[in-house]
PDB file of all heavy atoms in Angstrom:
ATOM      1  N   PRO A  68      -6.233   3.091   7.489  1.00  0.00           N
ATOM      2  CA  PRO A  68      -6.730   1.874   6.840  1.00  0.00           C
ATOM      3  C   PRO A  68      -7.166   0.872   7.901  1.00  0.00           C
ATOM      4  O   PRO A  68      -6.550   0.785   8.961  1.00  0.00           O
ATOM      5  CB  PRO A  68      -5.508   1.331   6.084  1.00  0.00           C
ATOM      6  CG  PRO A  68      -4.446   2.372   6.179  1.00  0.00           C
ATOM      7  CD  PRO A  68      -4.791   3.270   7.317  1.00  0.00           C
ATOM      8  N   GLY A  70      -8.607  -3.267   8.333  1.00  0.00           N
ATOM      9  CA  GLY A  70      -9.038  -4.565   7.819  1.00  0.00           C
ATOM     10  C   GLY A  70     -10.161  -5.070   8.709  1.00  0.00           C
ATOM     11  O   GLY A  70     -11.251  -4.508   8.735  1.00  0.00           O
ATOM     12  N   ALA A  71      -9.863  -6.121   9.504  1.00  0.00           N
ATOM     13  CA  ALA A  71     -10.894  -6.675  10.389  1.00  0.00           C
ATOM     14  C   ALA A  71     -10.824  -6.086  11.794  1.00  0.00           C
ATOM     15  O   ALA A  71     -11.647  -6.418  12.641  1.00  0.00           O
ATOM     16  CB  ALA A  71     -10.752  -8.189  10.441  1.00  0.00           C
ATOM     17  N   GLY A  72      -9.796  -5.276  12.066  1.00  0.00           N
ATOM     18  CA  GLY A  72      -9.682  -4.678  13.401  1.00  0.00           C
ATOM     19  C   GLY A  72      -9.250  -5.674  14.466  1.00  0.00           C
ATOM     20  O   GLY A  72      -9.483  -5.445  15.651  1.00  0.00           O
ATOM     21  N   THR A  73      -8.579  -6.758  14.072  1.00  0.00           N
ATOM     22  CA  THR A  73      -8.098  -7.735  15.072  1.00  0.00           C
ATOM     23  C   THR A  73      -6.694  -7.396  15.568  1.00  0.00           C
ATOM     24  O   THR A  73      -6.144  -8.122  16.390  1.00  0.00           O
ATOM     25  CB  THR A  73      -8.060  -9.171  14.511  1.00  0.00           C
ATOM     26  OG1 THR A  73      -7.054  -9.242  13.501  1.00  0.00           O
ATOM     27  CG2 THR A  73      -9.407  -9.593  13.939  1.00  0.00           C
ATOM     28  N   GLY A  74      -6.115  -6.323  15.054  1.00  0.00           N
ATOM     29  CA  GLY A  74      -4.759  -5.931  15.460  1.00  0.00           C
ATOM     30  C   GLY A  74      -4.678  -5.722  16.963  1.00  0.00           C
ATOM     31  O   GLY A  74      -5.668  -5.349  17.603  1.00  0.00           O
ATOM     32  N   SER A 133      -3.242 -16.819  14.624  1.00  0.00           N
ATOM     33  CA  SER A 133      -4.309 -17.501  15.375  1.00  0.00           C
ATOM     34  C   SER A 133      -5.657 -16.827  15.143  1.00  0.00           C
ATOM     35  O   SER A 133      -6.701 -17.410  15.418  1.00  0.00           O
ATOM     36  CB  SER A 133      -3.971 -17.508  16.860  1.00  0.00           C
ATOM     37  OG  SER A 133      -2.734 -18.153  17.043  1.00  0.00           O
ATOM     38  N   SER A 134      -5.635 -15.593  14.649  1.00  0.00           N
ATOM     39  CA  SER A 134      -6.866 -14.859  14.347  1.00  0.00           C
ATOM     40  C   SER A 134      -7.323 -15.110  12.909  1.00  0.00           C
ATOM     41  O   SER A 134      -8.143 -14.355  12.389  1.00  0.00           O
ATOM     42  CB  SER A 134      -6.589 -13.361  14.516  1.00  0.00           C
ATOM     43  OG  SER A 134      -5.433 -12.999  13.756  1.00  0.00           O
ATOM     44  N   THR A 139      -7.658 -10.043   7.944  1.00  0.00           N
ATOM     45  CA  THR A 139      -7.614  -9.929   6.489  1.00  0.00           C
ATOM     46  C   THR A 139      -6.176 -10.023   5.968  1.00  0.00           C
ATOM     47  O   THR A 139      -5.217  -9.743   6.700  1.00  0.00           O
ATOM     48  CB  THR A 139      -8.189  -8.569   6.040  1.00  0.00           C
ATOM     49  OG1 THR A 139      -7.317  -7.521   6.524  1.00  0.00           O
ATOM     50  CG2 THR A 139      -9.590  -8.344   6.565  1.00  0.00           C
ATOM     51  N   ASN A 143      -2.711  -8.487   7.378  1.00  0.00           N
ATOM     52  CA  ASN A 143      -1.529  -9.355   7.545  1.00  0.00           C
ATOM     53  C   ASN A 143      -0.302  -8.719   6.893  1.00  0.00           C
ATOM     54  O   ASN A 143       0.797  -8.745   7.449  1.00  0.00           O
ATOM     55  CB  ASN A 143      -1.748 -10.735   6.908  1.00  0.00           C
ATOM     56  CG  ASN A 143      -2.852 -11.563   7.556  1.00  0.00           C
ATOM     57  OD1 ASN A 143      -3.244 -12.587   7.021  1.00  0.00           O
ATOM     58  ND2 ASN A 143      -3.378 -11.127   8.688  1.00  0.00           N
ATOM     59  N   SER A 148       2.371 -10.251   9.495  1.00  0.00           N
ATOM     60  CA  SER A 148       1.934 -11.178  10.545  1.00  0.00           C
ATOM     61  C   SER A 148       2.635 -12.521  10.478  1.00  0.00           C
ATOM     62  O   SER A 148       3.027 -13.000   9.415  1.00  0.00           O
ATOM     63  CB  SER A 148       0.426 -11.393  10.418  1.00  0.00           C
ATOM     64  OG  SER A 148      -0.225 -10.209  10.761  1.00  0.00           O
ATOM     65  N   GLY A 149       2.736 -13.110  11.664  1.00  0.00           N
ATOM     66  CA  GLY A 149       3.254 -14.469  11.795  1.00  0.00           C
ATOM     67  C   GLY A 149       2.116 -15.411  12.136  1.00  0.00           C
ATOM     68  O   GLY A 149       0.946 -15.088  11.979  1.00  0.00           O
ATOM     69  N   VAL A 204      -2.951  -0.775   0.817  1.00  0.00           N
ATOM     70  CA  VAL A 204      -2.772  -1.911  -0.097  1.00  0.00           C
ATOM     71  C   VAL A 204      -4.136  -2.250  -0.691  1.00  0.00           C
ATOM     72  O   VAL A 204      -5.102  -2.480   0.052  1.00  0.00           O
ATOM     73  CB  VAL A 204      -2.230  -3.132   0.682  1.00  0.00           C
ATOM     74  CG1 VAL A 204      -2.165  -4.346  -0.239  1.00  0.00           C
ATOM     75  CG2 VAL A 204      -0.873  -2.828   1.293  1.00  0.00           C
ATOM     76  N   GLU A 415       5.257  -9.999  16.191  1.00  0.00           N
ATOM     77  CA  GLU A 415       4.319 -10.082  15.068  1.00  0.00           C
ATOM     78  C   GLU A 415       3.147  -9.107  15.178  1.00  0.00           C
ATOM     79  O   GLU A 415       2.447  -8.905  14.205  1.00  0.00           O
ATOM     80  CB  GLU A 415       3.776 -11.508  14.935  1.00  0.00           C
ATOM     81  CG  GLU A 415       3.108 -12.005  16.217  1.00  0.00           C
ATOM     82  CD  GLU A 415       2.628 -13.449  16.137  1.00  0.00           C
ATOM     83  OE1 GLU A 415       3.060 -14.162  15.232  1.00  0.00           O
ATOM     84  OE2 GLU A 415       1.822 -13.841  16.997  1.00  0.00           O
TER      85      GLU A 415
HETATM   86  C1  LIG B   1      -7.138 -13.718  19.176  1.00  0.00           C
HETATM   87  C2  LIG B   1      -6.051 -13.071  18.329  1.00  0.00           C
HETATM   88  C3  LIG B   1      -4.992 -13.857  17.906  1.00  0.00           C
HETATM   89  C4  LIG B   1      -3.972 -13.282  17.131  1.00  0.00           C
HETATM   90  N1  LIG B   1      -2.951 -14.082  16.696  1.00  0.00           N
HETATM   91  C5  LIG B   1      -1.994 -13.557  15.904  1.00  0.00           C
HETATM   92  C6  LIG B   1      -0.928 -14.388  15.425  1.00  0.00           C
HETATM   93  O1  LIG B   1      -0.856 -15.596  15.700  1.00  0.00           O
HETATM   94  N2  LIG B   1       0.010 -13.790  14.651  1.00  0.00           N
HETATM   95  C7  LIG B   1      -0.048 -12.468  14.320  1.00  0.00           C
HETATM   96  O2  LIG B   1       0.839 -11.999  13.615  1.00  0.00           O
HETATM   97  N3  LIG B   1      -1.043 -11.676  14.752  1.00  0.00           N
HETATM   98  C8  LIG B   1      -2.026 -12.179  15.525  1.00  0.00           C
HETATM   99  N4  LIG B   1      -3.034 -11.364  15.972  1.00  0.00           N
HETATM  100  C9  LIG B   1      -3.035  -9.932  15.605  1.00  0.00           C
HETATM  101  C10 LIG B   1      -3.845  -9.579  14.319  1.00  0.00           C
HETATM  102  O3  LIG B   1      -4.835 -10.546  14.067  1.00  0.00           O
HETATM  103  C11 LIG B   1      -2.920  -9.426  13.121  1.00  0.00           C
HETATM  104  O4  LIG B   1      -2.062  -8.322  13.319  1.00  0.00           O
HETATM  105  C12 LIG B   1      -3.667  -9.239  11.778  1.00  0.00           C
HETATM  106  O5  LIG B   1      -2.753  -9.231  10.718  1.00  0.00           O
HETATM  107  C13 LIG B   1      -4.487  -7.964  11.712  1.00  0.00           C
HETATM  108  O6  LIG B   1      -5.324  -8.057  10.586  1.00  0.00           O
HETATM  109  P1  LIG B   1      -6.636  -7.166  10.480  1.00  0.00           P
HETATM  110  O7  LIG B   1      -7.277  -7.426   9.161  1.00  0.00           O
HETATM  111  O8  LIG B   1      -7.514  -7.397  11.649  1.00  0.00           O
HETATM  112  O9  LIG B   1      -6.008  -5.720  10.493  1.00  0.00           O
HETATM  113  P2  LIG B   1      -6.414  -4.433  11.348  1.00  0.00           P
HETATM  114  O10 LIG B   1      -6.361  -4.729  12.800  1.00  0.00           O
HETATM  115  O11 LIG B   1      -7.677  -3.862  10.824  1.00  0.00           O
HETATM  116  O12 LIG B   1      -5.210  -3.457  10.975  1.00  0.00           O
HETATM  117  C14 LIG B   1      -3.908  -3.748  11.369  1.00  0.00           C
HETATM  118  C15 LIG B   1      -2.957  -2.711  10.767  1.00  0.00           C
HETATM  119  O13 LIG B   1      -2.931  -2.860   9.373  1.00  0.00           O
HETATM  120  C16 LIG B   1      -3.302  -1.645   8.718  1.00  0.00           C
HETATM  121  N5  LIG B   1      -4.050  -2.074   7.534  1.00  0.00           N
HETATM  122  C17 LIG B   1      -5.126  -2.906   7.501  1.00  0.00           C
HETATM  123  N6  LIG B   1      -5.481  -3.122   6.217  1.00  0.00           N
HETATM  124  C18 LIG B   1      -4.613  -2.413   5.444  1.00  0.00           C
HETATM  125  C19 LIG B   1      -4.470  -2.225   4.048  1.00  0.00           C
HETATM  126  N7  LIG B   1      -5.266  -2.809   3.171  1.00  0.00           N
HETATM  127  N8  LIG B   1      -3.465  -1.416   3.605  1.00  0.00           N
HETATM  128  C20 LIG B   1      -2.625  -0.818   4.483  1.00  0.00           C
HETATM  129  N9  LIG B   1      -2.724  -0.957   5.809  1.00  0.00           N
HETATM  130  C21 LIG B   1      -3.701  -1.746   6.277  1.00  0.00           C
HETATM  131  C22 LIG B   1      -4.093  -0.880   9.753  1.00  0.00           C
HETATM  132  O14 LIG B   1      -4.028   0.519   9.520  1.00  0.00           O
HETATM  133  C23 LIG B   1      -3.372  -1.273  11.016  1.00  0.00           C
HETATM  134  O15 LIG B   1      -2.222  -0.494  11.180  1.00  0.00           O
HETATM  135  C24 LIG B   1      -4.048 -11.902  16.767  1.00  0.00           C
HETATM  136  C25 LIG B   1      -5.122 -11.140  17.193  1.00  0.00           C
HETATM  137  C26 LIG B   1      -6.119 -11.707  17.969  1.00  0.00           C
HETATM  138  C27 LIG B   1      -7.270 -10.843  18.397  1.00  0.00           C
END
Side-chain angles (χ1 to χ4, degrees):
T73 67
S133 302
S134 52
T139 66
N143 295 170
S148 291
V204 175
E415 57 183 16

